[in-house]
Amino acid sequence: MPVDFTAETHMPGHYFSRIARAMARIGDSRLKPLGFATAQLPVLTALRDGSARSQGELARWAKVEQPTMAQLLARMERGGIVRREPDPRDRRSSLVSLTEEARAKLPAGRKVLEEGNRDATAGLSEAEVATLVGLMQRVLANLDALEA
Amino acid sequence: MPVDFTAETHMPGHYFSRIARAMARIGDSRLKPLGFATAQLPVLTALRDGSARSQGELARWAKVEQPTMAQLLARMERGGIVRREPDPRDRRSSLVSLTEEARAKLPAGRKVLEEGNRDATAGLSEAEVATLVGLMQRVLANLDALEA
DNA sequence: ACATTAAACATAGGATGCTATTCAATGCCC
DNA sequence: GGGCATTGAATAGCATCCTATGTTTAATGT
């Protein structure tokens, strides 16, 4: 006997988009006083120990394409968040690292983001959040396989 | 006794973004031969019965801001997907409807999108998909409440 | 050593999304 | 009816993401 699934159950795609946008809007508005943005977090996290990485490494880490990372880094450089110095080993490349000011504000930024994630999952038990993440990891694996 | 949760469990936000982007990339590439795009689907769905709606109605339906919908409709008009005619009841507004060609291709487009959603949730049981959607609806309710 | 391939960036151009602002038409209130 | 708030769009400006393409430097193979 077939069950009556709603259209939404067959088309979960739009939910991912709406949630991603809403979390970015909320995160960006809360991070604005610190001078950060949601999209910058992977970069900040990758460099938080003071290390320096190439643009390509950061793009692979953040799972965005290289030109996207190039633009993001340009904005971050303009905002005084990162600094670039030529890579002595490879003249094609430069090494990106955080400025002192960015490193100082970073813990506050991460706290804001964590709180946003907590707010988003309010009312869900730890087990339910784990279930949600587990299902999303399987969906992501499907999509990665499709694009490979 | 505290459990050792990974950073990902505490920060599910990035998953939503990655899944949304991957689904949009895949959907767009598959819809391209039909002349459609993923972002257009809510508009196509709203107008599929031949009805005509104002830009504001479509923006609220698709859950995007009015200028976003204005640009989307401009591209769709340029692509011959929608048509605008002045609203006889309100001179500020125009009524948007689908062209014949778009209505003809619409069922094929919806099929492509449904298949994309099926591919994304491959390996998940119907019950698991329902669980995923249910959890996402609760997250979305949290976010809507935060922004209200 | 030199030609070829590969890797790292840069640039161009476009799609989606947002906020802030402005303009025009409508509606409402007294 | 006249003033005022509201509503529907348009515009400007920007952030994020993408694909496609070019340029420069490095690495490789013969």
Side-chain angles (χ1 to χ4, degrees):
Chain A
M1 186 65 75
V3 188
D4 179 46
F5 286 103
T6 64
E8 286 71 29
T9 305
H10 282 133
M11 306 278 276
H14 203 224
Y15 282 110
F16 291 107
S17 166
R18 283 181 59 193
I19 293 175
R21 283 187 287 129
M23 291 192 72
R25 276 196 307 273
I26 292 171
D28 283 349
S29 74
R30 292 178 176 183
L31 286 173
K32 193 158 206 173
L34 288 168
F36 291 148
T38 304
Q40 302 171 355
L41 249 286
V43 175
L44 297 171
T45 300
L47 305 178
R48 73 168 178 276
D49 61 353
S51 60
R53 310 287 180 100
S54 74
Q55 184 183 105
E57 281 178 302
L58 292 171
R60 284 186 292 274
W61 167 270
K63 310 284 186 184
V64 297
E65 297 301 319
Q66 167 258 320
T68 300
M69 182 53 66
Q71 281 185 306
L72 180 61
L73 290 176
R75 285 190 301 270
M76 291 175 78
E77 192 171 18
R78 202 180 60 204
I81 297 174
V82 298
R83 182 184 348 144
R84 305 164 112 128
E85 25 191 355
D87 184 341
R89 319 280 200 69
D90 189 335
R91 258 180 304 169
R92 294 169 300 182
S93 180
S94 33
L95 294 172
V96 180
S97 54
L98 295 187
T99 61
E100 306 312 316
E101 309 86 68
R103 287 185 67 187
K105 292 183 300 182
L106 210 166
R110 289 182 65 81
K111 207 176 300 181
V112 165
L113 258 278
E114 276 166 22
E115 184 158 325
N117 277 270
R118 258 200 313 280
D119 291 345
T121 55
L124 274 66
S125 69
E126 299 261 15
E128 284 174 324
V129 174
T131 298
L132 177 59
V133 170
L135 290 169
M136 287 200 293
Q137 284 172 338
R138 289 163 65 190
V139 169
L140 206 41
N142 286 336
L143 296 169
D144 284 348
L146 269 178
E147 294 190 298
Chain B
M1 185 65 78
V3 187
D4 179 45
F5 285 102
T6 65
E8 284 72 28
T9 307
H10 282 134
M11 305 276 277
H14 202 224
Y15 283 111
F16 290 107
S17 167
R18 282 180 59 192
I19 293 174
R21 284 187 286 131
M23 290 191 73
R25 275 197 307 272
I26 293 171
D28 283 349
S29 74
R30 291 177 175 184
L31 285 173
K32 193 157 204 171
L34 288 168
F36 291 148
T38 305
Q40 301 172 355
L41 248 286
V43 175
L44 296 171
T45 300
L47 304 178
R48 72 168 178 274
D49 61 353
S51 60
R53 310 288 179 97
S54 73
Q55 186 183 103
E57 282 179 300
L58 292 171
R60 284 185 293 273
W61 168 271
K63 311 284 187 184
V64 296
E65 297 302 318
Q66 168 258 320
T68 300
M69 181 54 66
Q71 280 187 306
L72 179 61
L73 290 177
R75 285 190 301 271
M76 291 175 79
E77 192 171 18
R78 202 180 61 202
I81 296 175
V82 298
R83 183 186 345 147
R84 304 165 113 128
E85 24 190 356
D87 183 342
R89 320 281 199 71
D90 189 334
R91 260 181 301 169
R92 293 169 300 182
S93 179
S94 33
L95 294 171
V96 180
S97 55
L98 295 186
T99 61
E100 306 311 316
E101 309 85 66
R103 289 185 64 187
K105 292 184 299 182
L106 209 165
R110 290 182 64 81
K111 207 176 303 182
V112 165
L113 258 277
E114 278 166 21
E115 185 158 324
N117 278 269
R118 259 201 313 280
D119 291 345
T121 54
L124 275 65
S125 68
E126 299 261 13
E128 285 175 323
V129 174
T131 298
L132 176 59
V133 171
L135 290 169
M136 287 199 293
Q137 284 171 338
R138 289 164 65 190
V139 169
L140 206 40
N142 286 336
L143 295 169
D144 284 348
L146 268 180
E147 294 190 295

